[in-house]
Amino acid sequence: MLRTVIQIDEEKCTGCRLCVDACHEGAIGMVNGKARLLRDDYCDGLGDCLPACPTGAITFIEREAAAYDEHAVAQHLAARAAAEQIAEDDLDRTVAELSPSGCPGSRARLLADDAPSPAATGCPGSRARALSHDEMPTPTDDVFAVAELPSRLMQWPAQIKLVPVQAPYYNGRGLLIAADCTAFACASFHERFMNGNVTIIGCPKLDEGTYTDKLAAIIAGNDITSVTVARMEVPCCGGLERAAAEAVAQTGKDVPLNVVTFSVTGDVIA
């Protein structure tokens, strides 16, 4: 339909974010340091953002655009609020662990139970540590017997970036969105969490871009009964949880969303 929406001149935009705060519908977001209209149906055309822009980068334009969708806006704002809460919680955890030298995830440390940690140098999620367990296998143990346990991975590929948006195996099953490290930390991960679910994996710290749109397309286009996020305790895994929460909210489906958080030793802590 032909209607009035905003237009943002990226050349004039300084990235001050004042328009983002002024937009009550959440129609404007920051992309690569510039303000951008996220979706036409989020913009009501009232222009509260115009007087907030100090450079005059925002103007009205009449063009073909989707109709303003109040329901979609409500879902979008709810997802954004949930993501901001998750980000705030992750920030609190990060601040508690952060050293003066920077990101807590690359902080190197030794993880023997009674060993002192060396000087912190980065992010807690990637700090080096030796994990001590009571029964570590030795060359004389029958380690090959473990390999006879059945895998519970029910489809291929498993990487979020590679899986199809629609496939028959999604239907009537739960979707397990797992951080790459979870199955390595938790020895019983296949039986406890993957069994009966479609498992897709990713690492928000290593993969480029966001998973939100891909996850939303998977949830919207298939008969998925539940969504479970399996993440590690480290702050960088918060990106996976945020993406899943936003994706479920975007679809508008009444799909249960659960989050399971693991410590680096494989214990479920949340």
Side-chain angles (χ1 to χ4, degrees):
M1 62 181 295
L2 188 66
R3 72 182 188 94
T4 299
V5 293
I6 63 165
Q7 177 174 265
I8 302 175
D9 186 339
E10 290 193 5
E11 293 296 322
K12 292 182 179 180
C13 178
T14 62
C16 68
R17 294 185 55 90
L18 293 177
C19 59
V20 176
D21 297 334
C23 180
H24 301 298
E25 288 72 36
I28 304 175
M30 300 300 296
V31 179
N32 297 325
K34 298 286 186 177
R36 182 176 296 179
L37 178 61
L38 299 178
R39 275 176 42 171
D40 289 348
D41 59 348
Y42 289 170
C43 179
D44 61 4
L46 294 180
D48 289 343
C49 54
L50 269 68
C53 179
T55 65
I58 305 176
T59 56
F60 279 130
I61 184 175
E62 190 172 15
R63 62 172 174 81
E64 285 291 332
Y68 174 67
D69 189 337
E70 186 175 353
H71 180 63
V73 169
Q75 290 182 338
H76 169 58
L77 293 177
R80 189 173 71 174
E84 288 172 353
Q85 183 59 54
I86 293 170
E88 183 177 344
D89 294 342
D90 282 342
L91 179 60
D92 290 342
R93 286 194 293 268
T94 300
V95 169
E97 298 175 345
L98 190 62
S99 73
S101 57
C103 171
S106 51
R107 186 170 67 192
R109 44 180 172 163
L110 182 66
L111 254 204
D113 291 343
D114 55 354
S117 297
T121 57
C123 167
S126 51
R127 63 187 178 188
R129 16 182 168 172
L131 301 177
S132 61
H133 298 281
D134 294 335
E135 296 183 3
M136 294 292 289
T138 66
T140 58
D141 292 332
D142 188 9
V143 294
F144 296 104
V146 178
E148 296 176 1
L149 294 174
S151 169
R152 297 303 182 182
L153 183 65
M154 63 179 301
Q155 91 291 333
W156 187 263
Q159 265 286 345
I160 296 174
K161 298 287 187 178
L162 301 179
V163 295
V165 170
Q166 285 188 304
Y169 52 69
Y170 289 121
N171 295 321
R173 296 185 181 276
L175 180 67
L176 176 65
I177 305 169
D180 289 351
C181 301
T182 52
F184 292 95
C186 178
S188 58
F189 192 80
H190 276 241
E191 290 297 328
R192 291 174 63 190
F193 300 98
M194 292 173 59
N195 197 1
N197 292 320
V198 174
T199 304
I200 59 177
I201 63 173
C203 176
K205 189 162 187 173
L206 300 181
D207 293 341
E208 294 183 0
T210 176
Y211 302 124
T212 303
D213 291 342
K214 180 73 174 284
L215 294 177
I218 292 172
I219 297 167
N222 301 277
D223 179 23
I224 290 172
T225 59
S226 65
V227 175
T228 300
V229 178
R231 57 164 291 182
M232 300 300 295
E233 62 180 320
V234 295
C236 46
C237 265
L240 193 66
E241 184 176 345
R242 286 192 294 274
E246 291 173 356
V248 171
Q250 279 186 20
T251 66
K253 284 188 169 184
D254 186 19
V255 180
L257 173 63
N258 304 299
V259 179
V260 181
T261 303
F262 297 89
S263 71
V264 294
T265 54
D267 297 320
V268 176
I269 59 177

